[in-house]
Amino acid sequence: MEKKIYVLEGRQFRTESDYANARRDKEITDKLRKETDFGDREELTALRKKLYDGQYKFRTLLGRDFLDEVEEQLKKIDIAEGRRRPVRTRQETAGEEVQAKGEVTADRSNTDSRRMHANPGRAGRPEGQTGRGRDTEKKKNSQAEENGIADAIVQEELEKLEKRRKLILALCSVAAVCCLGYFGIYSYYIYRTESAYQKLSEMKEMAASSAEAVTPSSEGPLYTLDGEAKEKEVLEEYKNLLLKNRKLIGWVKIDGTSIDYPVMQTVDNEYYLDHNMNQEYDKNGTIFMDKDCDVLKPSTNYILYGHHMRSGKMFGQLDKYKDEAFCEEHPYISFDTIYEKGTYEVMYVFRSKVYKETEIAFKYYQFIDANGEQEFDSYMQEMAALSLYDTGVTAAYGDQLLTLSTCDYQETDGRFVVVAKKVE
């Protein structure tokens, strides 16, 4: 894009701000030209003094140009006046008679007068001062005055720079305070959430060690004689936790990572994206199970969601499974529902995304219940095709699956997914 150039009075200006200052200076100089008779030496001399005294504040070099214009006009007047002065010849001087002989003072006065007429260039000069010396002194004075104007302009620019520096410093200070405030609030959220999870974890461990949990059969839900489902009994270690939060549905843990969190479930999949387990606003959110999953039935596939926090919280370390070596060292995921314990072996690791409803693609987040063996096998084939590596683990219709999903920043709406199957 071609840079715009601003021109005024024969000078170029780089920015619109400098051009605005130049237009202001031009208004001042135009006004002074109208108010001043440039053919009158006295008015020009008075104007020059005002300019040197700084009575008119110029912001650009147009002020300097105007001062040069005044100086040049004064020189022209001096030259014009010098040409009009009469030059008296020696003959005219010799023809004058001495009117008062014996009066030395008068003779000297007349003699001095004749000398001045004979050499008009010396008129009005102190004795012993030559024309060249006066011109030199005049140039020095003019140079000093010009330097004074230049210094004033430089000083004004320095003041502008200083004001700008102070403004930038103030803005930076405000930005720093805002950043520190944000960091402080974010740190508080992390501390508050971690403290709450730590207390829950201690309560769970204490309950598990103080009483033996009642674990129902792994064959599925129990039924009464009339065919109605019998309510499962909550594991002892989760009973007290349920009293604190009825939305608790289980606990997920992966050894060798920071993933060791309670899992919540509610009818709104958006709620726990920015709330902690105590229903407080928290940018870290909470690990939660998809609203359509059922731990009583149970569903074919439990899907757990969590943020990929840069701090490593929530599912921030789930993407360690992108390395096959890590998977080989950490092949198991512990996931307990509030009714039964479970250990899952990692089967597939892949990247995907959230698709539009109208897009035809494999949408892993819609696989919760398989309607039959054929549909189940079809989903397994899709996941195997996406998997970053072959774990050697496979699943058959009837196996219980666990899917962990978090954000993946390699693409818009990207997701990083780990799928495991329940093992004894």
Side-chain angles (χ1 to χ4, degrees):
M1 181 177 179
E2 188 176 350
K3 188 176 180 181
K4 189 173 181 179
I5 299 177
Y6 302 91
V7 180
L8 186 65
E9 294 289 317
R11 288 193 177 273
Q12 294 184 357
F13 299 93
R14 295 179 299 174
T15 66
E16 188 173 353
S17 175
D18 291 342
Y19 181 62
N21 288 332
R23 292 178 60 184
R24 171 192 169 278
D25 291 348
K26 186 176 183 304
E27 290 177 0
I28 296 175
T29 56
D30 289 345
K31 182 180 178 182
L32 292 176
R33 288 189 183 96
K34 291 180 180 179
E35 295 175 349
T36 307
D37 183 1
F38 270 56
D40 190 317
R41 179 183 179 80
E42 292 183 1
E43 289 191 25
L44 283 177
T45 302
L47 176 59
R48 180 179 65 178
K49 186 176 185 306
K50 291 179 181 179
L51 292 173
Y52 282 134
D53 291 342
Q55 293 189 23
Y56 303 102
K57 300 295 184 180
F58 294 103
R59 298 178 181 176
T60 65
L61 290 177
L62 293 186
R64 176 69 177 273
D65 294 342
F66 182 66
L67 177 61
D68 292 342
E69 181 183 343
V70 172
E71 291 283 5
E72 185 66 26
Q73 185 63 24
L74 282 171
K75 290 180 181 178
K76 290 180 179 179
I77 292 176
D78 285 343
I79 293 173
E81 288 181 351
R83 289 175 178 174
R84 288 198 299 267
R85 290 173 184 164
V87 180
R88 302 187 66 182
T89 63
R90 291 179 178 270
Q91 290 79 5
E92 291 175 336
T93 303
E96 294 182 351
E97 296 181 354
V98 180
Q99 297 180 357
K101 291 182 179 181
E103 296 180 5
V104 177
T105 303
D107 288 344
R108 290 177 178 176
S109 177
N110 291 335
T111 303
D112 291 340
S113 176
R114 287 194 298 273
R115 287 177 179 174
M116 285 188 291
H117 285 292
N119 189 359
R122 295 177 57 88
R125 297 177 187 170
E127 186 176 354
Q129 183 175 353
T130 65
R132 181 178 298 176
R134 184 174 180 182
D135 290 342
T136 302
E137 183 178 354
K138 192 173 182 180
K139 288 181 180 179
K140 289 181 179 179
N141 291 337
S142 177
Q143 185 65 33
E145 291 171 351
E146 291 178 358
N147 291 338
I149 293 294
D151 291 341
I153 294 175
V154 171
Q155 183 64 28
E156 188 174 355
E157 290 298 322
L158 290 175
E159 290 176 357
K160 289 181 182 178
L161 291 175
E162 180 63 15
K163 290 180 180 179
R164 190 177 303 169
R165 185 188 69 83
K166 289 181 178 179
L167 178 60
I168 293 174
L169 182 62
L171 293 176
C172 291
S173 300
V174 172
V177 171
C178 292
C179 290
L180 289 174
Y182 175 82
F183 178 76
I185 293 173
Y186 182 72
S187 299
Y188 167 72
Y189 284 151
I190 292 178
Y191 171 77
R192 182 183 64 181
T193 303
E194 288 299 307
S195 298
Y197 289 149
Q198 182 64 29
K199 290 179 181 179
L200 285 180
S201 181
E202 292 173 358
M203 290 176 60
K204 180 171 74 75
E205 296 300 328
M206 288 178 61
S209 60
S210 61
E212 185 176 347
V214 179
T215 306
S217 171
S218 61
E219 295 178 355
L222 302 179
Y223 293 89
T224 61
L225 294 177
D226 57 4
E228 293 183 0
K230 180 180 179 181
E231 183 178 355
K232 287 186 176 182
E233 184 176 355
V234 176
L235 296 177
E236 190 68 29
E237 58 201 275
Y238 294 111
K239 287 182 178 180
N240 288 334
L241 303 187
L242 271 177
L243 294 176
K244 295 180 67 68
N245 195 317
R246 301 299 299 179
K247 302 298 182 182
L248 180 72
I249 200 65
W251 198 286
V252 63
K253 180 179 180 179
I254 302 178
D255 292 333
T257 72
S258 60
I259 300 174
D260 186 8
Y261 295 108
V263 179
M264 317 303 288
Q265 186 182 35
T266 185
V267 295
D268 180 9
N269 275 350
E270 302 291 325
Y271 182 78
Y272 282 111
L273 291 175
D274 54 10
H275 286 79
N276 61 27
M277 59 168 294
N278 294 324
Q279 285 75 54
E280 300 167 326
Y281 175 78
D282 192 335
K283 292 190 68 173
N284 292 280
T286 307
I287 307 299
F288 65 95
M289 180 182 286
D290 192 286
K291 64 181 180 63
D292 294 324
C293 293
D294 188 350
V295 297
L296 289 173
K297 185 181 177 181
S299 299
T300 304
N301 185 23
Y302 294 147
I303 303 181
L304 308 186
Y305 301 104
H307 283 310
H308 184 278
M309 303 303 293
R310 298 187 187 277
S311 62
K313 304 302 180 184
M314 300 302 127
F315 279 167
Q317 294 187 355
L318 185 65
D319 63 351
K320 285 187 174 183
Y321 277 103
K322 65 180 180 291
D323 296 326
E324 186 175 0
F326 180 85
C327 183
E328 292 174 354
E329 295 175 2
H330 306 82
Y332 297 108
I333 299 173
S334 172
F335 174 61
D336 299 343
T337 70
I338 57 176
Y339 303 111
E340 60 183 347
K341 294 181 177 294
T343 299
Y344 296 77
E345 187 175 10
V346 175
M347 185 166 51
Y348 303 123
V349 177
F350 59 88
R351 287 187 165 92
S352 184
K353 62 178 291 185
V354 177
Y355 295 95
K356 296 179 181 178
E357 292 185 5
T358 56
E359 288 185 270
I360 300 176
F362 169 61
K363 302 173 182 178
Y364 73 93
Y365 44 85
Q366 293 183 348
F367 174 44
I368 294 177
D369 283 302
N371 293 322
E373 183 175 358
Q374 184 176 357
E375 184 179 31
F376 182 90
D377 291 341
S378 175
Y379 277 120
M380 294 303 100
Q381 291 173 8
E382 294 283 358
M383 292 181 180
L386 291 173
S387 189
L388 300 178
Y389 46 83
D390 184 6
T391 62
V393 182
T394 58
Y397 181 63
D399 285 336
Q400 174 72 55
L401 303 183
L402 173 69
T403 297
L404 309 185
S405 174
T406 190
C407 294
D408 183 35
Y409 301 115
Q410 289 194 1
E411 64 175 318
T412 303
D413 292 329
R415 296 292 185 268
F416 187 85
V417 186
V418 176
V419 181
K421 78 167 185 175
K422 190 174 183 180
V423 296
E424 296 295 333

